Amino acid sequence: QLQLVESGGGLVQPGGSLRLSCAASGFTLDHYAIGWFRQVPGKERERVSCISRSDTSTYYADSVKGRFTISRGNEKNTVHLQMNSLKPEDTAVYYCAASTVDNCPSIYNVRHWGKGTLVTVSS
C-alpha cells in the first residue's frame, strides 16, 4: 500500500522548534518532488516548502523563509521539515505531499498525500 505518514507535530511555545518527518511506504521518495503544506480550518491549504526531485532547488513561503528548512533525511525514504522560531500563526495541520513534477508541487499535481500532523504554537 502506498502511503505517506507525517510525525513530529505537537504543542510548542512561541519561539520554540519542531521537526516534522514524512515517511513513505510502498514507493521511493527519491523519485518525487516533496512538498509540505499546511491548513487551518476555514482556509485553503497553502504550500509551505518543497524540494525538487533532483534536490537542486527548494522553496519556502515568505511567511516561513529563514525559519523553516526542508531536507531529505539520511534515513531512507524520509523528508524532514525543521521549524524554528515558531509563531502562533504557524498553528495548522501540516501535510506531506509527493509529486512526479520536477520542481515544486502545487496542490493540483500531488500524487500522494499524508494524513497530516497537528502543530500548535501557543503559550
Side-chain angles (χ1 to χ4, degrees), residues 105-122:
S106 73
I107 60 172
Y108 304 108
N109 54 31
V110 170
R111 180 72 62 89
H112 306 289
W113 285 101
K115 294 185 177 181
T117 184
L118 176 63
V119 171
T120 303
V121 185
S122 174

Side-chain angles (χ1 to χ4, degrees), residues 10-30:
L11 173 64
V12 63
Q13 292 186 341
S17 298
L18 284 175
R19 186 190 193 215
L20 303 185
S21 296
C22 172
S25 61
F27 65 105
T28 304
L29 284 184
D30 288 350

Side-chain angles (χ1 to χ4, degrees), residues 25-59:
S25 61
F27 65 105
T28 304
L29 284 184
D30 288 350
H31 299 162
Y32 290 81
I34 305 299
W36 283 97
F37 295 75
R38 67 186 182 188
Q39 189 170 23
V40 296
K43 291 191 175 181
E44 292 186 354
R45 192 169 295 189
E46 67 167 337
R47 187 174 58 192
V48 174
S49 178
C50 54
I51 187 167
S52 64
R53 288 176 68 182
S54 62
D55 291 354
T56 56
S57 63
T58 56
Y59 160 87

Side-chain angles (χ1 to χ4, degrees), residues 31-92:
H31 299 162
Y32 290 81
I34 305 299
W36 283 97
F37 295 75
R38 67 186 182 188
Q39 189 170 23
V40 296
K43 291 191 175 181
E44 292 186 354
R45 192 169 295 189
E46 67 167 337
R47 187 174 58 192
V48 174
S49 178
C50 54
I51 187 167
S52 64
R53 288 176 68 182
S54 62
D55 291 354
T56 56
S57 63
T58 56
Y59 160 87
Y60 299 95
D62 288 343
S63 58
V64 306
K65 203 169 292 183
R67 301 187 296 121
F68 289 12
T69 304
I70 190 171
S71 63
R72 294 189 189 267
N74 292 327
E75 314 88 349
K76 190 175 178 62
N77 247 8
T78 59
V79 173
H80 304 292
L81 184 69
Q82 179 67 42
M83 306 188 298
N84 299 329
S85 303
L86 283 162
K87 305 175 181 179
E89 51 263 43
D90 294 319
T91 296

